[in-house]
């Protein structure tokens, strides 16, 4: 992450402590596009994983993926006030940074985590309908998933996240979207 106080693309930069315009982790095959920086990331200016993201990384290890190889970025570079959802306009403006990160990391697969991240890629909300359904766009594969925080509200959803990360592993192994049988 990088503090970029010069960013004036939207009003979020006025209330955030840190403009997190660059993600963390290696350039590689997988980029996780999360919704927005956490309170801790905004305060420290350093990348960290929320407890929900830590649980997602635990599941990734369980299915045979290496989370240390994931590049983590945010669809919105600044934490919205009080952690509220960013507006459609704020998401659209931050797409500038998302495109820069995609160009820099050049991942084969982007794991889209949450509705804000989905909107930054497709311009449309609807994560509940799109979750677990990979698609190709601009020469790469995108796999939308719900926010892993949902597991804390409904532990039975863990199996869905396991399935989604197994699907991610299959995409990486085969180099494409598996056909439904």
């Amino acid at each position: 992450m990088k503090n970029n106080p010069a960013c004036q693309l939207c009003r979020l930069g006025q209330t955030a402590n840190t403009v997190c315009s660059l993600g963390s982790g290696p350039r590689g095959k997988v980029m996780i596009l999360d919704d927005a920086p956490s309170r801790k990331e905004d305060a420290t200016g350093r990348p960290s994983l929320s407890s929900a993201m830590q649980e997602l990384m635990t599941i990734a290890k369980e299915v045979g993926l290496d989370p240390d190889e994931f590049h983590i970025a945010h669809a919105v570079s600044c934490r919205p006030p009080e952690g509220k959802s960013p507006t459609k306009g704020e998401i659209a403006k931050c797409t500038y940074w998302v495109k820069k990160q995609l160009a820099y990391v050049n991942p084969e697969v982007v794991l889209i985590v949450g509705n804000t991240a989905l909107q930054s890629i497709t311009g449309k909300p609807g994560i509940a309908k799109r979750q677990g359904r990979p698609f190709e766009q601009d020469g790469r594969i995108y796999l939308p998933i719900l926010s892993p925080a949902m597991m804390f509200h409904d532990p039975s959803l863990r199996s869905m996240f396991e399935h989604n990360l197994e699907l991610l592993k299959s995409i990486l192994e085969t180099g494409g979207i598996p056909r439904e049988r």
Side-chain angles (χ1 to χ4, degrees):
M1 269 199 274
K2 179 181 175 187
N3 185 349
N4 185 349
C7 182
Q8 301 292 317
L9 294 176
C10 73
R11 65 179 179 81
L12 291 178
Q14 298 168 7
T15 57
N17 293 314
T18 305
V19 179
C20 304
S21 55
L22 294 177
S24 66
R27 292 167 64 181
K29 292 183 177 184
V30 178
M31 183 168 115
I32 295 177
L33 187 62
D34 200 1
D35 282 341
S38 68
R39 180 180 289 120
K40 183 177 179 182
E41 289 169 315
D42 184 44
T44 65
R46 288 192 302 264
S48 63
L49 293 177
S50 66
S51 53
M53 267 310 217
Q54 288 174 16
E55 181 64 18
L56 190 67
M57 296 304 115
T58 297
I59 296 170
K61 287 178 188 174
E62 290 171 2
V63 302
L65 295 167
D66 183 358
D68 291 334
E69 294 180 4
F70 296 168
H71 181 90
I72 300 173
H74 297 102
V76 175
S77 298
C78 300
R79 180 175 171 76
E82 298 153 26
K84 293 182 179 177
S85 294
T87 67
K88 202 173 187 179
E90 291 162 347
I91 295 167
K93 299 241 173 154
C94 276
T95 298
Y96 168 83
W97 294 115
V98 172
K99 288 179 181 178
K100 282 202 165 288
Q101 290 180 85
L102 286 169
Y104 174 75
V105 177
N106 195 25
E108 292 175 22
V109 182
V110 178
L111 190 65
I112 299 173
V113 181
N115 208 38
T116 298
L118 179 66
Q119 287 180 68
S120 76
I121 297 297
T122 66
K124 298 176 185 174
I127 193 69
K129 289 181 181 176
R130 306 270 319 249
Q131 94 77 34
R133 298 171 60 196
F135 62 94
E136 289 186 56
Q137 179 178 301
D138 302 325
R140 65 178 46 95
I141 298 170
Y142 294 87
L143 176 57
I145 67 169
L146 297 175
S147 168
M150 299 295 291
M151 285 185 282
F152 297 133
H153 302 290
D154 184 355
S156 70
L157 291 176
R158 191 176 199 283
S159 62
M160 178 187 65
F161 285 93
E162 290 168 354
H163 172 77
N164 287 336
L165 291 176
E166 287 169 355
L167 178 56
L168 172 61
K169 183 179 178 185
S170 176
I171 290 168
L172 291 168
E173 289 174 347
T174 63
I177 298 172
R179 294 184 186 260
E180 291 188 34
R181 293 182 182 144

